Amino acid sequence: GQQVMQIPQYQHVQEGEDFTTYCNSSTTLSNIQWYKQRPGGHPVFLIQLVKSGEVKKQKRLTFQFGEAKKNSSLHITATQTTDVGTYFCAGHPGGSYIPTFGRGTSLIVHP
Amino acid sequence: EAEVAQSPRYKITEKSQAVAFWCDPISGHATLYWYRQILGQGPELLVQFQDESVVDDSQLPKDRFSAERLKGVDSTLKIQPAELGDSAMYLCASSLAGFYTEAFFGQGTRLTVV
């Protein structure tokens, strides 16, 4: 079936290092959304990308949507301890209105 | 700030018992989702409502799970009978009508079946 794969599953970094998580789909996505879930919390919406090749920035976070609309990435520059959490991508494969979440990447930041 | 309300926050139940979760979405949000999240995994959609109508429930185990949103506002998810494998976080989310709108999640109900 249609899946949204996300790698890596875990990432340990030293505070100040950069972090990237990747999201890949076997089919074209109509859009991609990114969510952050703090430990013990619930997913919180970060951003949505819709256009092929789109790049959006939020302070130290950079989000990209691939040209083929099958992959996306989230890059955090100079991580801080407040960035700790699990980052999920969610997309709508092939025009479906059913959102499909990736498994998430858990970011651990060591001070 | 408007929030999605869920209750209870935690529920421990014995297997074969019935359990129900309640969700009150953000006012004006026509779309309501129920997700199940197993520890270490992403949310898995169980059922999606548009107002009072089911948009998709293809992943809902209908032999034991049921969901309703009778007046198109709040919603209830029921499991009967509960099984050990149902232990998970059950998240409710809501969004404005239309495709590809951001979803606002509630705090979730942590279910433990013993």
Side-chain angles (χ1 to χ4, degrees), chain B residues 37-73:
Chain B
Q37 186 176 26
I38 296 170
L39 194 63
Q41 297 185 19
E44 173 195 10
L45 183 69
L46 293 175
V47 60
Q48 179 178 346
F49 290 93
Q50 183 72 22
D51 298 311
E52 67 276 6
S53 300
V54 173
V55 171
D56 186 88
D57 62 358
S58 57
Q59 299 303 311
L60 189 70
K62 298 182 187 63
D63 57 334
R64 298 185 299 108
F65 285 65
S66 64
E68 59 182 17
R69 194 184 183 197
L70 293 176
K71 296 183 179 180
V73 181

Side-chain angles (χ1 to χ4, degrees), chain A residues 66-81:
Chain A
E67 294 290 341
K69 300 184 73 174
K70 288 185 175 182
N71 55 75
S72 180
S73 65
L74 158 59
H75 180 81
I76 302 177
T77 303
T79 55
Q80 301 174 358
T81 54

Side-chain angles (χ1 to χ4, degrees), chain A residues 32-107:
Chain A
I32 194 83
Q33 296 176 341
W34 286 92
Y35 292 80
K36 177 183 179 181
Q37 186 173 22
R38 295 182 184 274
H42 58 280
V44 175
F45 176 83
L46 294 176
I47 208 160
Q48 174 170 266
L49 305 171
V50 179
K51 299 177 182 177
S52 169
E54 189 170 11
V55 178
K56 288 188 177 180
K57 293 188 176 183
Q58 288 180 349
K59 297 182 180 178
R60 295 179 294 103
L61 277 62
T62 302
F63 304 85
Q64 293 188 338
F65 201 9
E67 294 290 341
K69 300 184 73 174
K70 288 185 175 182
N71 55 75
S72 180
S73 65
L74 158 59
H75 180 81
I76 302 177
T77 303
T79 55
Q80 301 174 358
T81 54
T82 54
D83 296 326
V84 166
T86 301
Y87 293 85
F88 293 98
C89 63
H92 290 79
S96 166
Y97 42 71
I98 308 305
T100 301
F101 276 77
R103 289 195 60 164
T105 295
S106 293
L107 172 63

